[in-house]
Amino acid sequence: MTTALPHSATTSLAPGCQTCAGRPGERLYSIGTGQPRALAKADAEAAAFGDGAHVHQSLPDDQYVVVRPITDTEAGQP
């Protein structure tokens, strides 16, 4: 199952992700890891979104999630 998520959804921090660098991420797209070519589809979506979008694997949800790090300005911080 492929799910388009609203832009207001955020992920928890991914401390090991060098791209996010400790910032929360905006969830843009997700796909179950059991789907055929799920990682390739998630990678293609991340490339289409651009602007720092990349793939995280969410083990509790068993999904690949395309995220874009939220900047300090977007988070409402000065």
Side-chain angles (χ1 to χ4, degrees), residues 15-75:
C17 179
Q18 294 178 351
T19 304
C20 286
R23 297 174 289 176
E26 177 182 23
R27 292 177 74 137
L28 304 171
Y29 173 87
S30 67
I31 186 169
T33 59
Q35 298 292 319
R37 299 183 33 84
L39 182 54
K41 290 176 184 176
D43 282 336
E45 289 291 328
F49 278 110
D51 195 26
H54 59 285
V55 178
H56 286 182
Q57 183 175 8
S58 175
L59 296 176
D61 300 336
D62 197 26
Q63 295 185 350
Y64 293 115
V65 180
V66 176
V67 299
R68 182 182 58 83
I70 295 174
T71 65
D72 290 342
T73 304
E74 291 173 323

